[in-house]
Amino acid sequence: QVQLVESGGGLVQPGGSLRLSCAGSRITFHYYDMSWYRQTPGKQRELVARITRDFSTNYADSVKGRFTISRDNAKNTVYLQMNSLEPEDTAVYVCNAHLTVTSTNIVDYWGQGTQVTVSS
């Protein structure tokens, strides 16, 4: 059974930094596009950052210049470095692994999430 396990969340003051990690197991990690989403109560899940299997990256406008996504395929791990954190970044951050096998065969795995709270 595939598992994605996030870690690194916590409480941080505005302007601070956190580094999230998502470790995959029982997954051919390098095949997958990896993403970080975030979820807050009453809002839709938001894509924060994505890194493809080819190491292309894209970011939500709200985090560009502050967050950096990276991956280490040898460790089956994707990271999210978050700098200059703002209270609006407070959310549960969830890791996603995505693979489009064919147009009708799409695979998605999700982690359980890690809470990030930005507050003074």
Side-chain angles (χ1 to χ4, degrees):
Q1 180 174 343
V2 172
Q3 279 195 315
L4 298 175
V5 180
E6 301 96 335
S7 61
L11 173 64
V12 63
Q13 291 189 339
S17 297
L18 283 174
R19 188 194 197 203
L20 305 183
S21 300
C22 170
S25 58
R26 292 182 284 278
I27 183 174
T28 311
F29 189 82
H30 65 274
Y31 283 175
Y32 287 78
D33 296 339
M34 300 300 299
S35 299
W36 287 97
Y37 287 77
R38 62 188 180 188
Q39 179 78 58
T40 54
K43 287 189 177 180
Q44 277 195 322
R45 183 172 285 182
E46 175 190 20
L47 174 64
V48 176
R50 171 172 290 136
I51 184 165
T52 69
R53 55 190 288 177
D54 299 320
F55 291 84
S56 296
T57 59
N58 62 281
Y59 298 90
D61 287 342
S62 58
V63 307
K64 280 180 183 175
R66 301 188 298 122
F67 291 11
T68 302
I69 190 169
S70 60
R71 64 190 296 164
D72 185 339
N73 288 341
K75 296 182 179 179
N76 281 9
T77 300
V78 61
Y79 305 96
L80 185 68
Q81 178 66 45
M82 305 187 294
N83 299 328
S84 302
L85 282 160
E86 304 168 352
E88 292 74 23
D89 297 316
T90 295
V92 175
Y93 284 72
V94 183
C95 178
N96 166 262
H98 175 86
L99 176 64
T100 299
V101 181
T102 67
S103 60
T104 56
N105 184 5
I106 296 172
V107 179
D108 278 292
Y109 297 111
W110 296 90
Q112 292 297 307
T114 184
Q115 176 71 47
V116 171
T117 302
V118 185
S119 175
S120 55

